[in-house]
Amino acid sequence: MPRPQRPAWRWAIFPPFILLSGCTSYEPAPLRPGEILRDLERVGLQDVTRGLPRPHGSFDPADGLTLVEAAAAAVQLNPRLTALRTEVAVSEAQLVEAGLLPDIVIGWEAGNNIADFITEGKSSANGYIAGASLEWPVPRPGEIDAKEGVARADIAGARGRVLAAEWGLVREVHEAYARLLVARSRVEQTQQLTSIAERSQEYLQRARSLGAATALDENLARIAAKTAQADVVRAQADELQARQALNGLLGLRPGYEWTPQTTLDQLLTPTALGTRDADALVRLALDRRPDLLETLAEYQRAEEALRLEIARQWPQISIGTGLSITLPIFSRFNQPAVRTAERARAATGRRLTVAVQQVRQEVHAALTEYLQAERLRQLFQDEVEPALVESLRLNEQAFNAREVTPLQILTSQQQVIETRARALEARERWVVARLRLQAATGDLLPELLTRFPTRDEDGEGESE
């Protein structure tokens, strides 16, 4: 007894069913600014304890942060760095896409069945089978390798952006930390100067009651005392703004309270970089600065893109139930695209030249700024500060001996206020100049670098 024939359409829907069984369904993931803000408000220094490298792994977030710990916290918690690291994952996923072979094309031609209906008034299974087609575009020589090369360059560029952002963030954290310490010192300084101004005012009040000072002298002393009090208010506002700016870099809420463990005196340590030749520092910067990695990756991507366009100049062959060849005649064998890629590579090379020139300029400028700031700091430290201390001592003796005139009191007081302020500004300028020199030469790098996976020759992933 002959076996009954099954309809051909059942076999037609079987392969699509297999393909659709491996698909992913869409799941929405809505974001709401209010929820994001609540998550940001919960971020604290307790989140930094995980992953700190030795010897910082045992630090207690309750006792505050040193300068190095603050930089490490920023590398972990800063939202901008988190977003950049996510972009690296996107580039790594694109590498998988680049290495895939072209998909198989399955088709069915209805011409045979139509011809059967026209000529014989019916169709047969042979017409359905003859109409089936299968086609696979064969990759051109070197095309897959070039695509993967472009993807790897994109990954290197994304990683370079992360490392450059970490390097820039560490520099910003160091400068913001130093400015916070300077602001705290300015508050203490202005409070001390306020005490001096108030003491001068009290002295002139007594002197006026004894007829040794005029009402104008007393009023000038009162103005000086109130101005000093206003300076305290302004210094406290500057300290609050400096703390908020540093908390923003650390990824903490603006009002987050913590205690700096590094003092301003600890930052006033000269660097050996200031004694080296500028050209040697430039060569050192070219070897160590991570911001150059992104530009180098861009050039490598241009190289791989050119290789890809050269691979695409060959005809496209497709094999399967038939054989077809796509001749790139009208595209001029992809020569316009090749010339475009060549010019893009040349332009990227020029950008790399610009980046190297900028590094050289930054190093020379940072070294000049540091040396000038060092001279100014030494002047205040070796000459101005001893003279100021002596002035305060003589002023104290004059107070006790009642041998000082109102004009001398006000003049000495104003001199102390102005000199102390300039000395603190000189210290701040020196610290910032030293940090910028260290950053420009690549000497100031984060303690916590992002560890990206690497691939060995066998393609197995490993950690750096």
Side-chain angles (χ1 to χ4, degrees):
M1 182 176 181
R3 181 178 300 178
Q5 294 184 353
R6 296 180 179 179
W9 58 268
R10 292 187 179 182
W11 299 102
I13 66 172
F14 185 69
F17 175 76
I18 296 177
L19 296 177
L20 292 176
S21 63
C23 294
T24 303
S25 60
Y26 166 72
E27 295 183 4
L31 294 177
R32 295 177 177 83
E35 296 177 356
I36 295 175
L37 179 60
R38 284 192 293 271
D39 292 338
L40 291 175
E41 291 292 329
R42 287 192 289 266
V43 175
L45 294 181
Q46 69 279 357
D47 300 318
V48 189
T49 58
R50 297 185 301 272
L52 269 182
R54 294 179 180 180
H56 310 292
S58 59
F59 96 101
D60 183 5
D63 64 4
L65 294 173
T66 65
L67 179 61
V68 174
E69 290 172 345
V75 171
Q76 280 196 356
L77 301 179
N78 187 274
R80 182 163 57 94
L81 280 181
T82 303
L84 288 176
R85 294 188 187 104
T86 306
E87 293 181 7
V88 174
V90 175
S91 299
E92 291 173 347
Q94 291 174 343
L95 175 60
V96 178
E97 295 183 33
L100 298 177
L101 294 173
D103 288 325
I104 296 175
V105 179
I106 299 176
W108 182 72
E109 174 61 47
N112 293 327
N113 299 86
I114 295 175
D116 289 341
F117 275 110
I118 294 176
T119 58
E120 300 181 7
K122 61 179 182 179
S123 62
S124 63
N126 292 335
Y128 288 98
I129 296 175
S133 65
L134 184 144
E135 185 179 40
W136 179 58
V138 180
R140 301 175 181 89
E143 185 175 8
I144 298 296
D145 290 341
K147 286 183 178 180
E148 291 181 334
V150 172
R152 289 193 183 92
D154 289 337
I155 293 175
R159 293 177 178 180
R161 283 189 292 273
V162 172
L163 296 177
E166 290 176 347
W167 165 76
L169 179 63
V170 168
R171 180 194 61 198
E172 293 177 5
V173 168
H174 277 69
E175 292 184 10
Y177 196 105
R179 289 193 173 96
L180 175 60
L181 296 180
V182 170
R184 289 164 62 92
S185 297
R186 186 172 288 113
V187 171
E188 297 175 359
Q189 182 185 94
T190 52
Q191 289 174 343
Q192 294 173 356
L193 296 177
T194 299
S195 299
I196 296 175
E198 291 175 348
R199 184 180 177 186
S200 299
Q201 181 184 1
E202 294 174 357
Y203 176 83
L204 290 177
Q205 284 177 344
R206 293 194 302 268
R208 184 191 175 192
S209 64
L210 298 175
T214 65
L216 179 60
D217 294 332
E218 180 185 0
N219 188 61
L220 290 176
R222 184 183 302 109
I223 293 175
K226 297 301 180 182
T227 301
Q229 293 176 2
D231 290 339
V232 172
V233 174
R234 185 170 62 247
Q236 291 173 341
D238 292 342
E239 180 187 3
L240 179 60
Q241 292 176 354
R243 176 176 291 276
Q244 290 178 349
L246 181 53
N247 281 347
L249 295 174
L250 297 179
L252 303 173
R253 62 180 181 273
Y256 195 93
E257 293 289 341
W258 56 274
T259 303
Q261 292 182 305
T262 303
T263 65
L264 184 58
D265 291 335
Q266 291 174 334
L267 294 183
L268 295 173
T269 304
T271 174
L273 296 174
T275 62
R276 300 186 61 175
D277 179 71
D279 294 334
L281 292 179
V282 171
R283 291 190 293 270
L284 185 66
L286 294 179
D287 292 334
R288 299 195 301 185
R289 278 186 48 162
D291 57 326
L292 288 176
L293 297 178
E294 181 181 359
T295 308
L296 286 170
E298 291 178 356
Y299 184 78
Q300 183 60 33
R301 189 188 191 283
E303 287 271 23
E304 298 296 338
L306 174 59
R307 190 158 69 100
L308 178 59
E309 296 302 334
I310 291 176
R312 287 174 174 170
Q313 69 183 340
W314 301 103
Q316 175 72 61
I317 301 175
S318 298
I319 60 176
T321 54
L323 176 65
S324 64
I325 301 178
T326 302
L327 299 177
I329 297 176
F330 295 113
S331 64
R332 301 177 185 175
F333 291 90
N334 210 40
Q335 292 307 301
V338 170
R339 287 194 294 270
T340 300
E342 289 175 342
R343 294 174 182 176
R345 181 181 63 176
T348 307
R350 292 296 182 183
R351 286 196 292 271
L352 182 58
T353 301
V354 172
V356 173
Q357 193 272 343
Q358 288 178 344
V359 169
R360 182 183 64 181
Q361 189 70 19
E362 290 175 8
V363 170
H364 278 261
L367 180 59
T368 300
E369 181 183 6
Y370 172 78
L371 294 178
Q372 292 177 347
E374 173 67 13
R375 291 177 57 189
L376 184 61
R377 186 182 73 92
Q378 288 291 339
L379 177 63
F380 273 97
Q381 176 179 313
D382 299 339
E383 299 183 22
V384 178
E385 184 65 23
L388 185 61
V389 172
E390 179 67 14
S391 177
L392 290 174
R393 187 185 67 81
L394 295 176
N395 195 26
E396 183 69 18
Q397 289 181 353
F399 264 118
N400 296 332
R402 300 295 191 269
E403 297 176 350
V404 61
T405 65
L407 179 60
Q408 290 175 329
I409 292 175
L410 296 176
T411 301
S412 176
Q413 172 185 306
Q414 187 64 29
Q415 185 182 50
V416 169
I417 292 175
E418 293 180 356
T419 305
R420 288 291 190 190
R422 290 182 180 179
L424 186 58
E425 290 176 358
R427 298 174 77 187
E428 178 184 10
R429 179 180 176 184
W430 182 89
V431 171
V432 173
R434 192 202 68 183
L435 294 173
R436 291 179 178 175
L437 177 60
Q438 290 179 300
T441 57
D443 188 60
L444 190 62
L445 294 174
E447 290 286 324
L448 277 181
L449 284 169
T450 299
R451 300 299 179 183
F452 296 113
T454 59
R455 291 180 177 272
D456 56 19
E457 295 180 354
D458 296 330
E460 297 178 353
E462 58 182 11
S463 299
E464 293 180 352

